[in-house]
């Protein structure tokens, strides 16, 4: 089966064919850096990480752009409330975002353009729209005229006659029933304080939507392959991106649109405005394991809502423990007598894994293939043992799966020096045959969440999840 994605634009599954063979160019709407991102946001970034990693697994070259919205209504509102310059307000949230990406083992995109560094590109796009009659100047802003773009509504499946002719909306976020001409460039008001740019368009600042059109086309070209985001971005944000970009270039903007469903808490979307959210740091402070958070966000099909619960995190920890125990069990084989079943178990698992993910990144059957692999390989290993070559086949297969999952072969966090010292003391006690003391230290470490294993190669440790 070829690789297929559900394209929101057509509401159908379509075979994926990049515009340039072998190279995928994709744009992923990034965070608005007015506060730390919450794990609802990270569900969207995690789905994009799965997409990216699977495209790499399939051998594509990937150029991914994720923008940082460091100017919009919310960033200005909050920096003003704190009485500090916009840049100073957004800086720590940008830094926190990159730290969280790393902590969740989300791969880096190729580009992270910040809106405030791309004002000239936005200005030239708005000028193009003014020159071609798709935009007009009003007293408070320059607006995009949606009636000038007959395809307006094609993504969100809204009919143009449902739209209020001539109505205008200046705010960055609005509901479907207020769909109307939207602001591309907002003229300065005293409320904006020192946030403005003096440009050919007048003194002011960009609207949110134009940011993504200008930055995607700068790094990916006027037409590219995939545009993603959370489902709440479909309208008005993505609808507006299409209108601005295609009206300006006369070319199709993104070929495939992929949207992920929300992370929910007790039936409601996790959102800052609801107050029902956790940041990555909140979960760290609660002692949660971030591989488990990653697994939880990853393990439900992206087009299905996912309910966040702490029970879900426990299940995720158990799943990862099983996978890592298997990782350790196949670390090395003995001898040259190969186990005839191993190769076919690995081959069958890889086929099932790929068939599942080729079908619009359907993660559940892909994970089922990994668990079948673990169970069957364990059974074969217990029956006939593993040769060096067998262990290598299993290891390579598991590593390949983990190039997509990112939870098995991960670096353990560095040991605290206290723990290191205790491990050394225990080694010394064992050497002098003081087993009561060595057992006591082992229990003490266990209480600290460190599990020790004495292997022929020496002592090994892992963190209890
Ligand atoms: P924002 O910072 O609000 O622009 O959101 C950044 C990204 O996170 C967007 O792609 C949103 O669609 C997505 N997002 C926000 N809340 C959730 C949620 N509860 N579940 C999944 N994605 C979300
Ligand atoms: Zn965007």
């Amino acid at each position: 089966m070829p690789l297929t994605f559900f394209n929101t634009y057509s509401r159908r599954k379509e075979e994926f064919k990049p515009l340039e063979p072998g190279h995928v160019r994709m744009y992923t709407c990034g965070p608005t850096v007015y506060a730390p991102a919450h794990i609802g946001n990270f569900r969207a970034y995690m789905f994009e990480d799965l997409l990216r990693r699977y495209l790499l697994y399939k051998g594509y070259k990937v150029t991914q752009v994720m923008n940082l919205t460091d100017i919009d209504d919310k960033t200005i509102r909050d920096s003003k409330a704190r009485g500090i310059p916009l840049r100073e307000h957004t800086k720590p949230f940008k830094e926190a975002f990159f730290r969280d990406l790393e902590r969740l083992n989300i791969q880096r995109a190729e580009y992270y353009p910040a809106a405030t560094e791309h004002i000239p590109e936005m200005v030239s796009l708005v000028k193009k729209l003014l020159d071609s009659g798709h935009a007009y100047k009003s007293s408070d802003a320059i607006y995009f005229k949606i009636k000038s773009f007959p395809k307006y509504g094609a993504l969100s499946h809204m009919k143009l006659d449902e739209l209020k002719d001539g109505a205008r909306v200046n705010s960055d976020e609005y509901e479907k029933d207020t769909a109307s001409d939207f602001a591309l460039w907002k003229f300065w008001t005293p409320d904006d304080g020192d946030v403005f740019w003096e440009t050919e368009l007048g003194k002011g600042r960009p609207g949110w939507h134009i940011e993504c059109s200008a930055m995607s086309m700068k790094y990916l070209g006027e037409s590219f392959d995939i545009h993603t985001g959370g489902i709440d971005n479909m309208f008005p944000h993505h609808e507006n991106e299409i209108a601005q970009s295609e009206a300006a270039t006369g070319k199709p903007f993104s070929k495939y649109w992929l949207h992920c469903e929300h992370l929910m808490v007790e039936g409601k979307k996790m959102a800052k405005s609801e107050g029902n959210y956790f940041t990555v740091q909140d979960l760290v402070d609660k002692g949660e394991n971030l591989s488990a958070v990653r697994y939880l966000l990853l393990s439900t099909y992206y087009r299905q809502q996912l309910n966040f619960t702490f029970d879900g995190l426990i299940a995720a920890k158990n799943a990862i423990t099983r996978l890592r125990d298997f990782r350790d069990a196949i670390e090395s084989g003995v001898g040259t007598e190969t186990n005839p079943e191993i190769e076919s178990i690995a081959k069958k698992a890889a086929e099932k894994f790929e068939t599942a993910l080729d079908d619009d990144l359907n993660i559940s059957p892909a994970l089922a293939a990994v668990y079948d692999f673990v169970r069957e390989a364990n059974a074969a290993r217990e029956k006939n043992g593993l040769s060096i070559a067998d262990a290598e086949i299993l290891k390579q297969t598991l590593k390949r799966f983990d190039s997509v999952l990112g939870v098995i072969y991960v670096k353990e966090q560095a040991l605290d020096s206290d723990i290191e010292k205790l491990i050394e003391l225990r080694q010394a006690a064992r050497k002098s045959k003081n087993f009561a003391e060595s057992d006591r230290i082992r229990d003490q470490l266990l209480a600290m969440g460190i599990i020790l294993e004495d292997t022929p190669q020496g002592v090994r440790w892992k963190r209890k999840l």
Side-chain angles (χ1 to χ4, degrees), residues 204-216:
R205 56 152 173 131
W208 171 37
H209 314 294
I210 198 75
E211 299 178 6
C212 283
S213 287
M215 292 190 283
S216 57

Side-chain angles (χ1 to χ4, degrees), residues 74-94:
K74 290 185 286 196
T75 46
I76 294 178
R77 178 196 67 198
D78 290 2
S79 69
K80 222 181 125 205
R82 291 178 62 196
I84 55 172
L86 182 70
R87 213 169 264 278
E88 209 176 293
H89 176 62
T90 56
K91 189 168 175 267
F93 301 124
K94 283 185 192 172

Side-chain angles (χ1 to χ4, degrees), residues 117-155:
E117 281 157 26
H118 294 78
I119 302 294
E121 287 84 352
M122 295 170 207
V123 170
S124 93
L125 191 55
V126 175
K127 267 178 63 195
K128 249 190 187 170
L129 293 170
L130 277 170
D131 291 347
S132 56
H134 292 286
Y136 61 92
K137 225 171 186 169
S138 162
S139 58
D140 63 341
I142 297 173
Y143 285 93
F144 184 89
K145 187 175 177 179
I146 52 177
K147 287 268 175 184
S148 77
F149 185 69
K151 271 166 63 189
Y152 194 87
L155 177 70

